[in-house]
């Protein structure tokens, strides 16, 4: 991505991607793993010396059995 001066000064990332579960089978799996994975990326990842991507935002919708992460 290309940023203006404010974005460059804020050291915003050059790339981002999303991780989600659009199909029913994936959403059923996300009902189990989504909260744990989102917790890892949003609360634990920054404490570890790991090559896992940085998470800018993660949300879980337990009623719809889905999750979305902006990495």
């Amino acid at each position: 991505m290309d940023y203006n001066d404010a974005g460059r000064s804020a050291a915003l990332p050059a790339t981002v991607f999303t991780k989600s579960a659009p199909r029913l089978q994936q959403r059923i799996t996300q009902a189990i793993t989504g909260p744990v994975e989102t917790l890892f990326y949003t609360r634990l990842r920054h404490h570890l010396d790991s090559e896992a991507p940085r998470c800018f935002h993660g949300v879980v919708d337990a009623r719809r059995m889905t999750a979305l992460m902006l990495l």
Side-chain angles (χ1 to χ4, degrees), residues 5 8 11 28 43 45 47 50-51 53 62-63 70-71:
D5 290 337
R8 286 188 292 276
I28 291 169
R43 302 273 174 97
R45 161 60 186 96
H47 294 291
S50 173
E51 293 186 23
R63 188 173 70 82
L70 179 62
L71 304 162

Side-chain angles (χ1 to χ4, degrees), residues 4-71:
N4 61 14
D5 290 337
R8 286 188 292 276
S9 295
L12 296 176
T15 60
V16 296
F17 67 95
T18 61
K19 184 174 182 182
S20 65
R23 292 185 286 161
L24 179 60
Q25 184 176 1
Q26 292 169 316
R27 290 196 316 263
I28 291 169
T29 302
Q30 281 292 330
I32 299 165
T33 63
V36 175
E37 185 176 26
T38 302
L39 176 68
F40 168 78
Y41 278 109
T42 59
R43 302 273 174 97
L44 301 174
R45 161 60 186 96
H46 68 278
H47 294 291
L48 304 173
D49 183 24
S50 173
E51 293 186 23
R54 178 178 168 203
C55 183
F56 296 96
H57 184 70
V59 64
V60 175
D61 184 337
R63 188 173 70 82
R64 292 188 176 125
M65 299 185 299
T66 192
L68 175 73
M69 288 179 279
L70 179 62
L71 304 162

